[in-house]
């Protein structure tokens, strides 16, 4: 129907034209934001078309076709773009998240137009935002299509830089600058690992060859000695893992996500960190073509640890967006866990289970993209309306922002993996694959996979707790501050954008059976046909795993749940519950009024878990009571702080950073600043060198 | 652990056996047993469980409270008769209000009444709860409990004895039955 | 026509003269006299160029000798003297390294230059090979003047001495680099001095001193 190459060219043209057009408009105007949104949506639609073309194709193998090969755009290497099933899937993710977020950004970014009352207070350059935004989306789209080493690395770096500029958009805040710097450092550490990894992967093909297309790499990777393959895998794991937010490279996420404007947080968390997973899958499944069992085991263990660590810190963080960022660490962990399990199964020769696990991982990638961007958009709506993300000063928003509250609730329920929403289906498949792992002969694999199963189950429970906190404390009860009290509903386009994602959450849950065959196709393209038994069978509305192991029919389940709810309501009505309902004030121990100070706080909500996991958090309890008078009973000011220990920041990054600063200080002794001293250095070095090299 | 085991072995058992128990200690007041037994039967039939009581002190001098607390001691032990004091009006079937209603406690009393789910009965305990009792006419009080919330039963006395309270609750149960049956 | 022996003797004499003027710059604290000594040094260099041109018949060296005399012996000393007068800074009051020590270090540098250049001088059979270490010593001396003196004017002077050393090396070793390069260097030098003049003036205005150590304050 459409020519894929043409679609790609149009897509690139749209985003580039968008970048230029947005920059040329007057920045205060509505037009700037509208253009940015419209070009973003148009590009997203093109990406969607491209994704559908790629997924629909019935080509054998991975179904790859070279779309575009550009010589001479870059001086020393051609750019080449290839569409295959894996990239189509990630294109789908980018499109599905990108379109609503672009829509959302139109109304959201008006936050940054200078207000007549306080000129320049929140005003930032929206033109530059548009440029970075368009390039960011474009680079993400192109990076999954890139099929030469140079193209991939170039676009990867472009993506990192564009997102950096988006993170530091509110550059006047010191926190934002620091978050941006941290992000820049972490992403470049990852990039270094990737760069070395790709060079090592190229092996002998590297010499005199600047193209290094992926098809060449596939061949050269086979010839590599196994030690070198292991090193390549480790480097790639670190490089892509740092982008995906796995521990211990996750530290930038909780900093960068709250600092960035909400549409950017939504894109980064919903899409960009998934591209780390894309890279890992591309390398392990495609370019390296699988590896020894310990590769998968490592990914699985680190993924499980990330999932637990992420959600445990999400529980005790009371900044709404930082909570979501930690939850992204957790979800990246789940995806890594499933991908690792797939690799373990594959290396054990059980492609049936590998397919099952990989389908679960891919489906969770899409699901997380949808609900996490929804949640970030919800958090953005809260931020725009109340100007705070601190949950301890929110509350009562469900009355003031009913739509936002509903959509945030849908996102929370989805992320907590409750049926009939999408999170449930993905995690169900992953759990099934882990439960079926007993079919493997190896005892060692059993232990790892069972541990993974435990981690996943525990994570699932903690996620529910974390999002009960996020939704309950932020949206229910009474507002805890004047800003929250004066909150108003989000503007129309923002509501629409969130609504689209909320509906998608439900549809991806109910109609999972429509999309799963495509994911199965992707998995089989790399893993081969199912053996020894069937891993995943999709028939009609039903998903079956293993041989008569488990089955799920999301649509029927959804209908059943709805029916049960209707029956319950009908029964209650029949019992005459409505006439008996008597409304009275919430019981407040007989006090005259209800005050927000009586409410359950986020800190209090998290405290039981904080105690249970005290060995991890090692919370510091700092209570200071100021009593200016003679009596200790008349406290004027009580402050209570209960910070948790950030292990990696404290014991890994802290010492490294201090070491670097120490070295820099030693080095700065030489740099006295005196011109004469520098000249003396030149003179002495000159004389010494001359004397040494004499003869 | 070894320290503890060694100590157990070395020290041995130090407690003494109980002296023989005098017979009069175990004697029950036949009246209390009679009223209580009736109460227990009725609560069983009426509710299938205990009657849950929330006690509200609306400004009492604590005389009535002392008697109510006495109901809980081992001699009366009202829980065996199906009377159970609860900590929140949300759980209560019955409000047991004592004392004259002071101006400060009027609104909290009303709130408590509103917070108690239907069907519910209000029992005013003591003379002061009926009409202010010895505090009648004070500027600080509004008057009896019925000035604020509708009262189903007055148990007079300043303060009423535990046995009077138990007898009163027997009548209160009838009122409760009347209310809950009207509902159906 | 002179014998080659006579040529070499006079060449060596001129070279030693240049070196002596370099040491004199190191010795004198008065800025004006240092500038004048520099003029003398440049004049000696010009003479040397003329002498070599006369002996070897390299005609372009006459032009270069003229340029050296005009720019380095006349124009630059005049410019520097103007700065000195305008800034009212006449003496290098407190150099980083005292005069006596400076002279010792200067002597040491000459030894180093001989030590370093000996293989080069031995390897060539140019008639000028004895003077090559002296030229290199001038380069080191120039650098040393720049390092050890505080006043910006003296530092410019050190740079010029260094440049003189390079020029001398070029003239002695290869009978002068191509004319066009040489002219370019002179132009560069002249413009450089003009810029430095402005810069020194600005430094004086900003910091009320031409002591370059006050510039340390600029470091981060």
């Amino acid at each position: 129907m459409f020519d894929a190459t043409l679609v790609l060219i149009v897509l690139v043209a749209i985003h580039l034209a968008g970048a230029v057009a947005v920059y040329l408009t007057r920045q205060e105007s509505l037009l700037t934001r509208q253009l940015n949104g419209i070009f973003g949506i148009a590009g997203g639609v093109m990406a969607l078309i491209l994704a559908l073309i790629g997924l629909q194709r019935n080509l054998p193998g991975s179904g790859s076709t070279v779309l575009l090969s550009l010589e001479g755009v870059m001086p020393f290497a051609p750019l080449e773009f290839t569409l295959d099933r894996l990239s189509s899937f990630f294109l789908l993710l980018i499109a599905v998240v990108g379109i609503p977020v672009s829509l959302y950004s139109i109304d959201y970014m008006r936050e940054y137009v200078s207000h007549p009352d306080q000129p320049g207070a929140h005003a930032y350059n929206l033109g530059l935002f548009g440029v970075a935004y368009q390039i960011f989306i474009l680079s993400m789209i192109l990076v999954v299509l890139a099929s030469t080493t140079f193209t991939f690395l170039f676009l990867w770096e472009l993506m990192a830089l564009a997102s950096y500029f988006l993170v530091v958009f509110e550059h006047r805040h010191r926190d934002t600058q620091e978050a941006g710097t941290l992000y820049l450092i972490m992403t470049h550490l990852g990039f270094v690992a990737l760069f070395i990894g790709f060079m090592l992967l190229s092996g002998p093909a590297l010499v005199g060859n600047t193209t290094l297309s992926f098809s060449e790499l596939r061949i050269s990777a086979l010839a590599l000695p196994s030690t070198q393959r292991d090193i390549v895998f480790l480097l790639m794991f670190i490089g892509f893992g740092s982008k995906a937010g796995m521990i211990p490279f996750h530290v930038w996420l909780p900093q960068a996500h709250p600092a960035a404007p909400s549409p950017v947080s939504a894109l980064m968390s919903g899409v960009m960190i998934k591209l780390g997973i894309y890279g890992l899958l591309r390398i392990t499944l495609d370019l390296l073509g699988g590896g020894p069992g310990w590769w998968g085991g490592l990914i699985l263990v680190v993924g499980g640890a990330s999932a637990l660590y992420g959600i445990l810190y999400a529980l005790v963080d009371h900044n709404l967006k930082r909570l979501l960022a930690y939850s992204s660490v957790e979800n990246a962990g789940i995806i890594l866990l499933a991908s690792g399990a797939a690799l373990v199964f594959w290396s054990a020769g059980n492609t049936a289970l590998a397919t099952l696990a990989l389908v679960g991982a891919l489906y969770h990638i899409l699901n997380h993209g949808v609900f996490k961007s929804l949640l970030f958009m919800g958090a953005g709506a809260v931020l725009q309306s109340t100007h705070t993300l601190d949950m301890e000063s929110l509350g009562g928003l469900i009355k003031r922002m009913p739509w936002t509250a509903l959509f945030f609730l849908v996102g929370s329920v989805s992320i907590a993996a409750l049926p009939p929403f999408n999170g449930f289906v993905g995690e169900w498949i992953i759990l099934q694959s882990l439960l079926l792992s007993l079919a493997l002969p190896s005892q060692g694999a059993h232990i790892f996979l069972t541990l993974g199963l435990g981690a996943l189950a525990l994570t699932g429970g903690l996620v529910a707790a974390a999002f009960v906190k996020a939704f309950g404390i932020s949206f229910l009860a009474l507002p805890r501050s004047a800003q929250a009290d004066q909150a108003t509903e989000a503007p129309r386009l923002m509501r629409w954008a969130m609504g689209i994602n909320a509906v998608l959450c439900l549809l991806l849950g109910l109609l999972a059976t429509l999309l799963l065959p495509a994911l199965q196709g992707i998995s089989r393209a790399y893993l081969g046909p199912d053996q020894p038994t069937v891993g995943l069978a999709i028939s009609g509305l039903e998903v079956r795993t293993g041989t008569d192991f488990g089955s799920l029919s999301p649509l029927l389940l959804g209908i059943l749940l709805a029916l049960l709810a209707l029956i319950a309501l009908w029964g209650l009505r029949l019992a005459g519950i409505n006439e008996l309902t008597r409304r009275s004030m919430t019981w407040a121990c007989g006090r005259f009024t209800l005050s927000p100070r009586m409410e359950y706080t986020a800190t209090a909500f998290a405290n039981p878990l904080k105690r249970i996991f005290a060995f991890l958090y090692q919370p510091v309890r700092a209570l200071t009571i100021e009593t200016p008078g003679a009596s200790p009973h008349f406290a004027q000011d009580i402050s209570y702080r209960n910070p948790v220990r950030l292990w990696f920041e404290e014991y890994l990054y802290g010492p490294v950073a201090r070491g670097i600063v120490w070295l820099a200080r030693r080095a700065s002794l030489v740099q006295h600043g005196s011109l004469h001293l520098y000249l003396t250095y030149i003179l002495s070095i000159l004389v010494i060198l001359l004397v040494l090299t004499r003869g | 652990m070894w320290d503890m085991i060694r100590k157990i072995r070395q020290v041995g058992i130090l407690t003494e056996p109980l002296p023989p128990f005098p017979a009069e200690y175990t004697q029950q007041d036949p009246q209390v047993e009679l009223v209580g037994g009736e109460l227990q039967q009725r609560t069983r039939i009426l509710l299938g469980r205990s009657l849950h009581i929330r006690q509200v002190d609306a400004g009492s001098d604590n005389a009535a409270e002392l008697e109510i607390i006495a109901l809980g001691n081992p001699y009366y032990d009202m829980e065996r008769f199906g009377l159970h004091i609860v900590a929140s009006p949300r759980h209560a079937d019955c409000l047991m209000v004592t004392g004259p209603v002071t101006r400060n406690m009027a609104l909290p009393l009303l709130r408590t009444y509103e917070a108690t789910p239907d069907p519910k009965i209000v029992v005013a305990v003591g003379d002061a709860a009926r009409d202010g009792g010895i505090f009648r006419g004070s500027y600080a009080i509004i008057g009896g409990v019925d000035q604020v919330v509708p009262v189903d039963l007055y148990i007079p006395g300043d303060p009423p004895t535990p046995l009077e309270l138990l007898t009163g609750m027997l009548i209160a149960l009838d009122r409760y039955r009347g209310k809950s049956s009207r509902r159906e | 026509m002179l014998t080659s022996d006579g040529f070499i003797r006079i060449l060596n004499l001129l070279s030693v003269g240049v070196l002596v003027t370099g040491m004199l710059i190191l010795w004198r604290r008065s800025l004006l006299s240092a500038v004048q000594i520099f003029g003398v040094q440049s004049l000696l260099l010009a003479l040397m160029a003329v002498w070599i041109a006369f002996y070897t018949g390299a005609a372009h060296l006459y032009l270069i000798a003229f340029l050296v005399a005009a720019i380095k012996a006349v124009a630059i000393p005049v410019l520097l003297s103007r700065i000195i007068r305008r800034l009212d800074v006449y003496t290098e009051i407190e150099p980083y390294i005292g005069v006596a020590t400076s002279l010792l270090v200067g002597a040491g540098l000459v030894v180093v230059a001989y030590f370093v250049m000996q293989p080069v001088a031995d390897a060539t059979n140019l008639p000028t090979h004895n003077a090559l270490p002296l030229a290199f010593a001038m380069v080191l001396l120039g650098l040393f003047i720049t390092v050890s003196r505080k006043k910006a004017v003296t530092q410019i002077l050190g740079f010029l001495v260094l440049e003189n050393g390079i020029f001398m090396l070029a003239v002695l070793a290869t009978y002068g680099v191509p004319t066009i390069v040489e002219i370019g260097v002179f132009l560069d030098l002249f413009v450089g001095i003009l810029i430095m003049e402005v810069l020194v003036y600005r430094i004086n205005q900003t910091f009320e001193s031409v002591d370059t150590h006050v510039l340390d304050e600029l470091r981060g």
Side-chain angles (χ1 to χ4, degrees):
Chain A
M1 184 170 61
F2 294 99
D3 179 38
T5 308
L6 188 67
V7 174
L8 177 65
I9 292 170
V10 172
L11 187 154
V12 174
I14 284 175
H15 280 295
L16 291 181
V20 174
V22 172
Y23 190 68
L24 290 181
T25 50
R26 216 161 53 80
Q27 285 154 28
E28 300 283 297
S29 63
L30 177 65
L31 187 65
T32 310
R33 287 177 279 131
Q34 279 175 341
L35 279 181
N36 188 35
I38 288 167
F39 276 105
I41 293 169
V45 170
M46 288 294 137
L48 190 62
I49 293 171
L50 206 53
L52 293 179
I53 293 172
L55 286 176
Q56 203 181 43
R57 277 219 184 121
N58 275 329
L59 292 176
S62 59
S64 72
T65 34
V66 178
L67 289 183
L68 202 57
S69 188
L70 295 170
E71 298 271 358
V73 175
M74 287 287 144
F76 43 88
L79 298 178
E80 192 182 280
F81 300 101
T82 303
L83 183 69
D84 66 1
R85 292 192 187 175
L86 193 61
S87 33
S88 304
F89 172 71
F90 279 88
L91 276 181
L92 181 70
L93 169 74
I94 297 167
V96 161
V97 178
I99 293 172
V101 169
S102 298
L103 184 66
Y104 176 88
S105 74
I106 297 176
D107 270 344
Y108 184 80
M109 296 310 286
R110 76 169 179 200
E111 188 67 10
Y112 299 104
V113 175
S114 73
H115 203 261
D117 296 347
Q118 27 175 198
H122 297 287
Y124 289 96
N125 191 332
L126 286 174
L128 285 181
F129 173 81
V131 174
Y133 185 85
Q134 300 292 336
I135 291 181
F136 180 47
I137 295 189
L138 179 64
S139 62
M140 287 198 297
I141 290 172
L142 291 184
V143 87
V144 296
L145 293 172
S147 63
T148 72
T149 303
F150 174 75
T151 317
F152 184 84
L153 288 176
F154 171 70
L155 288 165
W156 188 262
E157 185 59 18
L158 189 65
M159 178 179 85
L161 287 180
S163 55
Y164 165 74
F165 285 115
L166 291 172
V167 167
V168 295
F169 179 61
E170 292 178 49
H171 55 85
R172 280 194 282 274
H173 296 282
R174 195 164 169 75
D175 293 352
T176 307
Q177 294 170 9
E178 284 173 2
T181 310
L182 181 65
Y183 171 52
L184 205 58
I185 293 171
M186 291 310 294
T187 193
H188 279 98
L189 283 180
F191 185 76
V192 168
L194 288 187
F195 193 81
I196 302 172
F198 268 109
M199 293 303 113
L200 284 178
L201 178 61
S202 323
L206 183 63
V207 184
N209 181 352
T210 49
T211 317
L212 290 177
S213 71
F214 282 180
S215 49
E216 286 169 343
L217 288 186
R218 262 173 225 126
I219 298 160
S220 73
L222 291 176
L224 289 181
S226 71
T227 331
Q228 195 169 341
R229 283 168 64 89
D230 288 348
I231 293 170
V232 167
F233 165 73
L234 283 176
L235 285 169
M236 295 293 190
F237 182 53
I238 291 170
F240 287 124
S242 71
K243 188 60 101 184
M246 88 187 174
I247 60 168
F249 307 105
H250 67 282
V251 286
W252 61 272
L253 260 126
Q255 307 282 328
H257 284 311
S262 300
V264 178
S265 318
L267 276 183
M268 283 175 71
S269 198
V271 183
M272 192 187 74
I273 63 168
K274 306 304 181 338
L275 297 189
I277 314 255
Y278 163 78
L280 199 59
L281 291 180
R282 174 67 78 195
I283 290 297
T284 48
L285 293 179
D286 186 7
L287 297 187
L288 287 173
W294 68 265
W295 289 10
L298 181 68
I299 298 178
L300 186 139
V301 168
V302 175
S306 295
L308 274 179
Y309 189 88
I311 197 59
L312 281 171
Y313 278 80
L315 259 172
V316 294
D317 213 303
H318 308 319
N319 177 309
L320 200 51
K321 276 171 94 176
R322 205 177 309 134
L323 183 147
L324 294 177
Y326 272 122
S327 152
S328 291
V329 173
E330 172 252 328
N331 278 285
I334 291 179
I335 297 164
L336 283 172
L337 192 152
S339 317
L343 286 177
V344 170
F345 294 137
W346 194 24
S347 73
N350 193 330
T351 49
L353 286 184
T355 306
L356 188 60
L358 191 60
V359 167
L362 290 176
Y363 203 53
H364 198 71
I365 287 172
L366 186 62
N367 291 338
H368 179 249
V370 173
F371 58 62
K372 188 49 67 67
S373 56
L374 169 60
L375 288 169
F376 265 115
M377 288 194 278
V382 171
L383 177 65
Q384 193 192 38
S385 189
T386 65
H387 295 106
T388 180
L389 284 171
D390 184 9
M391 288 164 63
E392 308 285 25
S393 28
L394 292 174
L397 296 179
I398 195 168
K399 295 266 168 54
R400 291 157 184 81
M401 317 172 71
W403 286 108
T404 308
L406 173 69
F407 298 143
F408 196 91
L409 181 63
V410 168
S412 303
V413 170
S414 305
I415 203 170
L418 295 180
F421 291 96
N422 56 356
F424 170 71
V425 182
E427 291 202 27
W428 182 79
I429 295 175
I430 296 173
L431 270 173
Q432 289 290 315
S433 76
L434 292 174
L435 286 170
L436 279 163
S437 70
L438 290 174
L440 287 187
S442 152
Q443 289 293 325
H446 282 177
I447 293 172
F448 278 116
L449 291 165
T450 315
L451 279 178
L453 189 64
L456 191 59
L458 180 55
T459 306
L462 293 172
V463 172
F467 279 88
V468 165
K469 185 189 85 170
F471 181 78
I473 304 288
S474 307
F475 286 92
L476 301 183
L478 291 176
R480 294 178 176 80
S481 65
Q483 300 110 290
D485 194 25
Q486 288 151 13
T488 48
E489 181 57 278
R492 196 158 37 96
L493 292 182
M494 284 164 67
R495 291 204 303 271
W496 270 101
M498 290 188 280
I500 291 172
N501 269 18
V503 170
L504 273 177
C505 277
L506 189 60
L507 289 184
L508 283 173
L510 293 178
L511 304 176
T513 42
L514 295 185
L515 194 59
L516 288 176
L519 304 189
Q520 206 177 13
I522 297 171
S523 309
R524 283 192 181 141
Y526 295 105
L527 303 173
D530 281 12
Q531 58 168 345
T533 52
V534 188
L536 177 69
I538 301 136
S539 55
L541 296 172
E542 203 181 3
V543 186
R544 272 201 300 274
T545 60
T547 38
D548 295 333
F549 185 75
S551 86
L552 172 72
S553 176
L555 187 60
L556 287 182
L557 182 66
I559 292 170
L560 195 67
L561 280 173
L563 275 179
L564 277 177
L566 282 178
I567 288 169
L569 277 179
W570 180 66
L572 285 175
R573 174 156 297 190
L574 214 63
I577 210 76
N578 277 6
E579 296 105 73
L580 291 173
T581 307
R582 174 169 59 86
R583 285 180 182 275
S584 66
M585 207 174 127
T586 304
W587 173 240
C589 293
R591 290 180 66 130
F592 293 174
T593 52
L594 285 168
S595 102
R597 293 189 58 179
M598 298 168 176
E599 283 169 26
Y600 210 12
T601 61
T603 312
F605 189 93
N607 212 30
L609 283 159
K610 219 179 201 175
R611 297 233 166 158
I612 294 170
F613 293 100
F615 67 90
L616 174 74
Y617 295 128
Q618 304 211 333
V620 189
R621 192 168 160 279
L623 181 66
T624 46
I625 304 176
E626 249 181 62
T627 50
S631 163
H633 301 296
F634 293 96
Q636 191 174 50
D637 189 29
I638 300 177
S639 77
Y640 174 74
R641 281 174 11 92
N642 199 353
V644 294
R645 174 157 288 170
L646 298 168
W647 286 90
F648 293 103
E649 282 85 341
E650 203 164 319
Y651 291 109
L652 181 64
Y653 293 97
V656 169
R658 278 195 294 278
I660 291 172
V661 169
W662 184 84
L663 273 178
R665 284 203 194 293
R666 291 296 161 289
S668 76
L669 284 183
V670 181
Q671 287 195 326
H672 182 263
S674 156
L675 221 58
H676 292 89
L677 204 60
Y678 295 151
L679 287 171
T680 315
Y681 293 150
I682 296 173
L683 179 62
S684 359
I685 296 287
L686 183 69
V687 169
I688 290 169
L689 283 181
L690 282 172
V691 171
L692 284 182
T693 55
R694 176 184 178 263
Chain B
M1 189 176 77
W2 294 114
D3 284 353
M4 193 176 283
I5 289 170
R6 196 179 320 121
K7 192 154 196 175
I8 289 168
R9 204 187 62 233
Q10 283 171 354
V11 176
I13 296 166
L14 294 178
T15 48
E16 296 170 10
L18 270 177
F21 206 65
E24 63 265 26
Y25 284 10
T26 55
Q27 268 183 357
Q28 299 284 354
D29 184 340
Q31 270 187 302
V32 172
E33 294 304 307
L34 186 71
V35 177
E38 190 65 23
L39 260 176
Q40 189 202 8
Q41 277 182 7
R42 291 198 189 177
T43 48
R44 274 293 146 76
I45 293 164
L46 187 60
L47 296 161
R49 56 171 168 85
S50 294
L51 181 74
H52 290 184
I53 302 167
R54 174 69 190 156
Q55 200 265 318
V56 183
D57 181 342
S60 146
D61 54 9
N62 282 75
E65 271 78 13
L66 284 172
E67 301 301 325
I68 293 170
I69 290 165
L71 277 176
N73 67 23
Y75 188 80
Y76 294 101
D77 191 13
M78 63 173 162
E79 296 233 341
R80 69 197 159 117
F81 303 139
L83 298 181
H84 178 54
I85 302 269
V86 292
S88 163
R90 289 289 194 213
H91 309 152
D93 307 308
C94 166
L95 290 181
M96 212 181 232
V97 190
T98 57
V101 180
T102 60
R103 292 186 188 282
N104 286 338
M105 280 303 285
L107 192 55
L109 178 59
L110 188 63
R111 287 276 149 80
T112 313
Y113 180 77
E114 285 171 353
T116 313
D118 292 323
K120 61 193 165 199
I121 45 172
V122 178
V123 179
V125 175
D127 288 344
R130 192 182 58 208
D131 54 5
I134 56 171
F135 304 104
R136 190 161 52 184
S138 163
Y139 64 90
I141 67 165
I142 286 179
V145 175
D146 53 10
Q147 300 290 313
V148 183
V149 296
V151 176
D152 296 290
L153 181 76
Y154 299 94
I155 302 178
D158 194 14
T161 63
L163 183 60
E164 283 170 347
L165 282 172
L166 284 180
T167 321
M169 287 317 292
L170 204 56
I171 302 164
L173 271 181
D174 282 344
R175 301 276 158 88
Y176 184 83
R177 186 171 62 196
K179 280 198 167 184
S180 54
S181 63
R182 209 179 312 135
R183 182 175 144 244
E184 285 153 15
Chain C
M1 202 67 191
L2 272 163
T3 60
S4 121
D5 191 45
F7 165 72
I8 289 166
R9 273 162 193 264
I10 289 180
L11 195 64
N12 284 352
L13 189 66
L14 284 172
S15 303
V16 171
V18 169
L19 183 67
V20 167
T21 50
M23 296 299 263
L24 282 177
I25 291 171
L26 212 51
W27 174 55
R28 288 304 303 233
R29 281 193 183 185
S30 159
L31 295 184
L32 276 176
S33 60
V35 168
Q36 281 154 15
I37 294 166
F38 169 74
V40 172
Q41 186 185 51
S42 304
L43 208 59
L44 286 174
L45 272 179
L47 279 177
M48 187 189 288
V50 169
W51 183 238
I52 292 173
F54 173 67
Y55 181 71
T56 59
H60 71 274
L61 275 178
Y62 287 116
L63 175 65
I64 288 167
F66 171 72
L67 281 174
V68 169
I71 293 176
K72 285 187 176 167
V74 180
I76 288 176
V78 167
L79 272 175
L80 287 177
S81 307
R82 201 174 72 190
I83 301 177
I84 291 165
R85 293 209 180 82
R86 190 150 78 178
L87 298 181
D88 201 20
V89 180
Y90 290 99
T91 12
E92 178 76 42
I93 298 165
E94 218 175 33
Y96 281 112
I97 298 169
V99 171
T101 324
S102 293
L103 287 172
L104 279 177
V105 173
L109 287 176
V110 174
V111 173
V112 168
Y114 264 101
F115 177 71
V116 169
M117 289 304 279
Q118 203 57 57
V120 183
D122 289 346
T124 56
N125 50 5
L126 280 170
T128 55
H129 70 261
N130 277 331
L132 280 179
L134 293 176
F136 190 70
M138 285 298 296
V139 173
L140 292 182
L141 268 185
L143 207 49
F144 180 65
I145 293 170
T146 319
V147 169
S148 63
R149 296 300 185 258
K150 272 185 189 167
K151 297 285 183 253
V153 179
T154 335
Q155 287 188 316
I156 297 172
L157 216 53
F159 168 69
L160 289 168
V161 170
L162 188 151
E163 215 283 328
N164 270 354
I166 293 170
F167 174 76
M168 187 171 155
L169 209 55
V171 168
L172 290 176
T174 63
Y175 303 143
V177 287
T179 319
I180 190 71
V181 176
E182 199 61 72
I183 289 173
V185 170
F186 280 135
L187 268 177
D188 265 4
L189 196 68
F190 194 61
V191 173
I193 296 298
L194 282 175
I195 291 171
M196 283 183 207
E197 183 189 0
V198 176
L199 210 58
V200 168
Y201 190 63
R202 301 292 304 180
I203 291 172
N204 191 40
Q205 268 198 332
T206 313
F207 297 99
E208 298 182 342
S209 162
V210 283
D211 275 12
T212 44
H213 77 260
V214 294
L215 296 180
D216 295 5
E217 310 291 327
L218 290 177
R219 73 179 167 148

